[in-house]
Amino acid sequence: MNKLTRVVVTGGAGYIGSHVVLALGEAGYDVLTYDNLSTGNRDAILSGELVVGDLADKDLLIKTLTEFNPAAVLHFAASIEVGESVSNPLKYYRNNSVNALNLLEALRVTEIGQMIFSSTAAVYGNPTQLPVTEEASLQPINPYGASKLMTERFLSDLALANDDFRYIALRYFNVAGADPETRLGQDYANPTHLITRALKTALGIFPQLQIFGTDYPTQDGTCIRDYIHVADLAQAHLDALRYLTSGHSSTIFNCGYGHGFSVNAVVSMAKKVTGVDFPVVETDRREGDPAALIAGCERIRKDLDWRPRFDDLEVILHTAWEWEKKLATRDA
Ligand code: UFG
C-alpha cells in the first residue's frame, strides 16, 4: 500500500468530516476515522474504517496512528457552536485547543509530519475590511474562535521549530448544504445553524425560526455570512491534501465564495425552496455574533486551483432540503 494514500480523519463521523471521508474514499484514499461519536454518527462514515476513540485518550491515539501509519491527518473533531462557546468556554478550550495539542503530541511521537486543520472564519472576529483576507488581524470575539486560533498558533510554532512538520489550516466560513446525492448531510440532535433551523421549521419540527438581531450595521439589519456548500469544502480538503503531500510549505486558506447573504435573504430563499411560509420571529442579538463575514478567497482559487461547483444559495438550500426531508422520513 502506498503510504501517501493513507489518511486519518478525526471527527470523520461529523457533518463536514463525513463529507470529506466520502470524497477521500471516492478519490481512492484509504481512510481511518477516529471519532468519539459524541456528536457524529457511525452511519455517516461511508468509506474506510472507524476507531471509536477520544482525542483525550493519547494512548489509543498513538496506537491507532502507529498501526495505520497515515501520510497525513485531517483534524475535524471539535465543538462548533459560537453561542455555546460563550456560555461554556472551558468546553471549547478543552475540546478544541487541549485536544488538538494531544493530537499534535501524538503526531510527533509517531513521526507523522502533515496535517490539515479545520479552522474557522471566527478567528477574525469583527473584521474591519470585507472581504476578509488571510492576512487580516486575528481578533476573535468568542471562545470558539479563540480556541481555534490557539490551535493555529500551535501549528505555526510547531512547523517553525521542525522542518519535518507541515500543515494547512482551512478557515471555513459558513458551511451549509448536503451531499448532492443525498447520502449525507447535517445530523445533530440540537442543530443551531441558521439553514438547518430554517428547514426544520419548514418541516414543522420547530414551531418558529428566530432571527437573532435586526439592528446590525448591514443593509437589512441582519447578519451577513458567506455560505459555502459542504461538497465544495470537501473538494478544498482534497486539493489541500494534494498540495501538502506534494511538498508545499505550511499555509492558511480561507474557504468561502467571496460574497455573503443576510439572515433575511437566507430565510426568503428557504421559504422559496421549501414552498412553506414558516413562522419567523425577530429577537435580540445572539452573543458572540459578528455583523458580517465574507471570505477573501483569491488565495485558495489560485494556489489550490480550487473550483467550486455549488456557489449558489438556492442549490445550497435545495440539497439541504432534500436531506432534511430524508431525515424526517427516517425519524418518523
Ligand atoms: N441565526 C439566526 N437564527 C438561528 C440561527 C442563526 O438568526 O436560529 C443567525 C446567527 O445569529 C448568525 C447567522 O444566522 O447571524 C448564522 O448563524 P449560524 O449559527 O448558522 O452560523 P455562525 O455564523 O454562528 O457560525 C458558523 C460556524 C462557525 C464559523 C462561522 C464562520 O458554526 O464554525 O460560521 O462564519 F466560525
Side-chain angles (χ1 to χ4, degrees):
M1 172 63 65
N2 175 0
K3 186 176 175 255
L4 272 182
T5 65
R6 294 168 77 78
V7 290
V8 163
V9 177
T10 76
Y15 168 50
I16 301 170
S18 64
H19 284 80
V20 175
V21 166
L22 176 60
L24 286 164
E26 288 179 336
Y29 285 91
D30 201 359
V31 185
L32 182 145
T33 290
Y34 188 90
D35 197 303
N36 67 6
L37 301 182
S38 61
T39 54
N41 305 303
R42 192 182 287 273
D43 295 347
I45 300 168
L46 300 184
S47 184
E49 56 188 291
L50 166 69
V51 170
V52 180
D54 201 289
L55 289 169
D57 186 350
K58 228 155 122 187
D59 291 343
L60 180 61
L61 199 49
I62 290 172
K63 180 172 177 281
T64 305
L65 292 169
T66 304
E67 287 175 6
F68 195 73
N69 192 26
V73 170
L74 292 87
H75 177 41
F76 295 88
S79 297
I80 57 158
E81 288 171 22
V82 169
E84 184 192 44
S85 81
V86 176
S87 55
N88 191 359
L90 297 186
K91 174 177 175 182
Y92 281 72
Y93 290 117
R94 175 150 308 274
N95 287 347
N96 297 359
S97 311
V98 176
N99 280 347
L101 190 61
N102 277 345
L103 175 60
L104 290 176
E105 286 172 347
L107 293 185
R108 294 313 289 163
V109 171
T110 53
E111 298 178 358
I112 295 162
Q114 301 181 105
M115 180 159 139
I116 309 274
F117 172 57
S118 301
S119 190
T120 170
V123 297
Y124 297 115
N126 254 320
T128 46
Q129 273 202 325
L130 293 174
V132 56
T133 66
E134 290 85 350
E135 289 81 23
S137 70
L138 303 172
Q139 292 174 311
I141 58 166
N142 51 58
Y144 170 69
S147 70
K148 288 280 186 176
L149 180 56
M150 183 65 69
T151 302
E152 283 199 15
R153 183 66 196 253
F154 297 159
L155 287 163
S156 81
D157 287 346
L158 185 62
L160 260 183
N162 298 280
D163 288 344
D164 61 348
F165 181 82
R166 288 173 300 114
Y167 73 93
I168 293 179
L170 297 176
R171 291 182 181 151
Y172 308 164
F173 284 65
N174 284 58
V175 189
D179 170 50
E181 293 176 43
T182 326
R183 294 165 293 182
L184 290 170
Q186 204 176 78
D187 188 6
Y188 298 134
N190 290 306
T192 62
H193 288 115
L194 175 64
I195 289 179
T196 309
R197 299 282 306 188
L199 298 179
K200 285 191 190 294
T201 308
L203 282 168
I205 295 168
F206 298 126
Q208 60 189 22
L209 179 76
Q210 293 180 308
I211 294 187
F212 298 137
T214 53
D215 59 347
Y216 283 96
T218 60
Q219 215 163 28
D220 68 18
T222 65
C223 290
I224 291 175
R225 294 289 183 273
D226 186 338
Y227 294 90
I228 168 175
H229 194 285
V230 66
D232 281 337
L233 184 64
Q235 183 58 49
H237 285 77
L238 265 68
D239 296 343
L241 185 59
R242 221 170 288 128
Y243 187 84
L244 190 66
T245 54
S246 63
H248 286 91
S249 309
S250 298
T251 190
I252 293 170
F253 295 112
N254 280 344
C255 297
Y257 293 139
H259 49 83
F261 295 94
S262 70
V263 173
N264 280 344
V266 171
V267 171
S268 300
M269 186 59 84
K271 289 186 174 183
K272 178 180 170 202
V273 166
T274 61
V276 182
D277 186 15
F278 53 83
V280 175
V281 288
E282 296 179 355
T283 63
D284 289 346
R285 290 182 177 195
R286 185 175 70 177
E287 258 188 273
D289 277 341
L293 280 171
I294 296 171
C297 51
E298 305 271 291
R299 189 189 282 182
I300 188 169
R301 285 176 184 269
K302 186 167 161 284
D303 290 0
L304 297 188
D305 194 25
W306 177 61
R307 297 185 189 196
R309 293 185 299 146
F310 305 102
D311 177 3
D312 182 330
L313 187 64
E314 186 161 358
V315 172
I316 290 175
L317 266 296
H318 177 74
T319 55
W321 179 234
E322 291 303 310
W323 171 253
E324 288 299 334
K325 286 189 291 184
K326 186 172 170 177
L327 268 190
T329 313
R330 184 196 72 183
D331 297 340

